[in-house]
Amino acid sequence: MRISAAAVLTIGLATSIGLTSAARAEATAPGLQAQRLAQTVVQTVAQTVAQVADVLAGADVSILGEVHDNKRHHQVQAELVAALQPRAVVWEMITQEQAEALTPQILQNPAETARVLEWEASGWPDFTLYAPVFKRAARAMQFGALVPRAQSKEALRLGVANHFGAQAQQFGLDQPLPVAEQATREAEQMANHCNALPDHVLPMLVDVQRLRDASLAAAAKRALEQTGGPVVVITGNGHARLDRGLAVYLQRALPDVVIRALGQMEEGAIQGQFDVVLSAPTVQRPDPCLGFAKSD
């Protein structure tokens, strides 16, 4: 069975929103640069949002991770946006065009924000989860990092380096992953998707992950250049982790930038390396593998 690029993108979105626990972490294997970045980090286990804010204070870019459907994680993000007072906020969930349509007045009205963003048709969890974060971000400039489906399909067809063009080398997308790392990432994607995917899909899923990480990094770079920072990034834990994810791409492009990251756990469990982690109760979810079983 062959699966189209459009189907791969649908699978990739499901991964980012939440399949298995490993998929919610959007796991990929670290490269050498990611390992060096992670080795400089002493991870703090915070008990309060104030403690998290203390760790993140002074960073040029603060990455606020989440499990997308966990309400408490978004409440924490909203509190941190209020505490950090960023000049810019980068969103994994919206495009740059959508971000430019948001005004402080719109952001103060959750229903209007959801309408402008066409959130109901987006595939992301209910907007009520994200509404407090958008409202607290009203004074900041808004930046979107979501790659539209048509552009993602083109990037899969031509390659992620071609999608980024002149920026590919800047973010490290002009080089393929080491063979061992590519194999590890593909194996993790298979496990994340309940061992239910054909092998030929796995390299495309790895490319989708690289594309999203680099897109977030590019948006954060634009935000820094246009506002001077500080910048907050709202994204899933997998993109937020320091041993892989957007920090690796951004650090390559801007070696002197100070990046700090929050990973939000469920019942103390999380994958990856962060500057600080904070726990919340686990959201009850149906067995994600049932969806694959029904499609057989």
Side-chain angles (χ1 to χ4, degrees):
M1 178 181 68
R2 303 296 294 181
I3 295 181
S4 67
V8 170
L9 294 172
T10 300
I11 292 168
L13 179 59
T15 298
S16 69
I17 292 177
L19 291 175
T20 65
S21 59
R24 285 195 297 276
E26 296 174 82
T28 52
L32 292 178
Q33 185 176 0
Q35 291 174 355
R36 287 194 294 269
L37 182 62
Q39 285 169 359
T40 66
V41 174
V42 176
Q43 185 164 281
T44 299
V45 180
Q47 302 301 319
T48 67
V49 176
Q51 291 174 347
V52 175
D54 286 343
V55 174
L56 300 179
D60 298 310
V61 178
S62 294
I63 309 171
L64 307 185
E66 64 184 48
V67 175
H68 296 306
D69 60 352
N70 191 306
K71 181 178 181 179
R72 178 56 187 159
H73 289 183
H74 299 299
Q75 292 170 341
V76 168
Q77 289 171 329
E79 292 177 41
L80 287 170
V81 169
L84 297 172
Q85 292 292 299
R87 292 181 180 175
V89 176
V90 175
W91 303 88
E92 176 191 351
M93 304 82 193
I94 65 176
T95 66
Q96 180 61 26
E97 182 180 6
Q98 289 174 316
E100 291 171 359
L102 295 173
T103 66
Q105 293 73 25
I106 289 172
L107 288 164
Q108 290 293 338
N109 185 327
E112 183 66 5
T113 303
R115 185 193 67 79
V116 169
L117 297 178
E118 299 180 328
W119 194 272
E120 189 172 343
S122 71
W124 292 101
D126 192 275
F127 187 75
T128 57
L129 298 177
Y130 286 88
V133 196
F134 276 100
K135 191 170 184 179
R136 290 292 182 92
R139 294 183 180 180
M141 285 189 65
Q142 310 300 313
F143 292 81
L146 183 67
V147 182
R149 182 179 293 267
Q151 292 183 27
S152 297
K153 288 173 63 177
E154 186 70 1
L156 284 176
R157 186 178 72 84
L158 297 177
V160 293
N162 288 326
H163 172 79
F164 266 78
Q167 287 187 305
Q169 183 176 10
Q170 185 178 51
F171 291 101
L173 290 178
D174 59 327
Q175 298 295 323
L177 293 173
V179 174
E181 183 175 347
Q182 179 74 29
T184 299
R185 291 190 183 201
E186 290 182 16
E188 288 175 341
Q189 289 289 352
M190 179 65 86
N192 292 347
H193 292 85
C194 307
N195 298 309
L197 298 179
D199 290 341
H200 76 271
V201 170
L202 302 176
M204 288 189 283
L205 285 175
V206 174
D207 283 347
V208 167
Q209 186 67 20
R210 295 185 73 196
L211 176 65
R212 290 172 176 166
D213 285 330
S215 296
L216 281 158
K221 182 175 180 290
R222 290 197 308 273
L224 273 174
E225 291 170 345
Q226 292 184 33
T227 70
V231 174
V232 159
V233 181
I234 303 296
T235 189
N237 281 331
H239 294 302
R241 58 192 292 178
L242 296 173
D243 54 335
R244 55 188 81 174
L246 80 96
V248 176
Y249 296 84
L250 184 58
Q251 201 84 67
R252 180 185 177 100
L254 298 174
D256 297 326
V257 71
V258 178
I259 305 168
R260 297 194 183 121
L262 163 69
Q264 296 207 68
M265 304 184 289
E266 291 189 328
E267 305 296 350
I270 198 167
Q271 292 180 322
Q273 183 70 49
F274 305 87
D275 292 286
V276 57
V277 292
L278 183 68
S279 193
T282 300
V283 173
Q284 296 302 312
R285 306 175 180 93
D287 181 355
C289 293
L290 292 177
F292 288 102
K294 290 178 182 178
S295 65
D296 289 344

